[in-house]
Amino acid sequence: IMKQKSYLVTQIEFDFSNSPEEISKDEQKFITDNSLGVWYAFDDEHLLDKVSDTIGFCIKDINFEDNKPHALTAYF
């Protein structure tokens, strides 16, 4: 059984050009900012599909890493 793991999306850029209606810069920033953070997926490709499907726009560029405890907040 495949288990989803957590990914941390640190930067993302969407292709807003195919939208049926114009999206303001403020709306684009809001959508982009709310796409950052922890996402759960089976693998890298599933992550891209999941983000794109959830947000509703194609991804032009993305930076992500495996989610791991942060040095300042982790308990050992």
Side-chain angles (χ1 to χ4, degrees):
I1 297 176
M2 287 185 64
K3 184 177 176 185
Q4 291 190 35
K5 65 180 192 175
S6 58
Y7 292 90
L8 180 61
V9 175
T10 56
Q11 184 277 329
I12 193 164
E13 182 181 350
F14 292 103
D15 181 5
F16 293 109
S17 65
N18 292 332
S19 177
E21 46 190 65
E22 188 171 338
I23 299 175
S24 72
K25 293 290 182 192
D26 286 342
E27 289 174 300
Q28 290 179 25
K29 182 174 176 7
F30 180 82
I31 291 167
T32 300
D33 289 350
N34 281 285
S35 303
L36 302 176
V38 178
W39 288 81
Y40 294 89
F42 294 113
D43 56 32
D44 295 0
E45 187 150 330
H46 182 234
L47 173 66
L48 299 178
D49 290 342
K50 191 170 186 178
V51 172
S52 184
D53 290 347
T54 301
I55 301 305
F57 295 98
C58 292
I59 297 169
K60 288 172 69 172
D61 189 39
I62 187 170
N63 291 335
F64 62 88
E65 57 191 52
D66 290 346
N67 189 25
K68 47 191 169 268
H70 188 278
L72 296 176
T73 59
Y75 294 94
F76 297 98

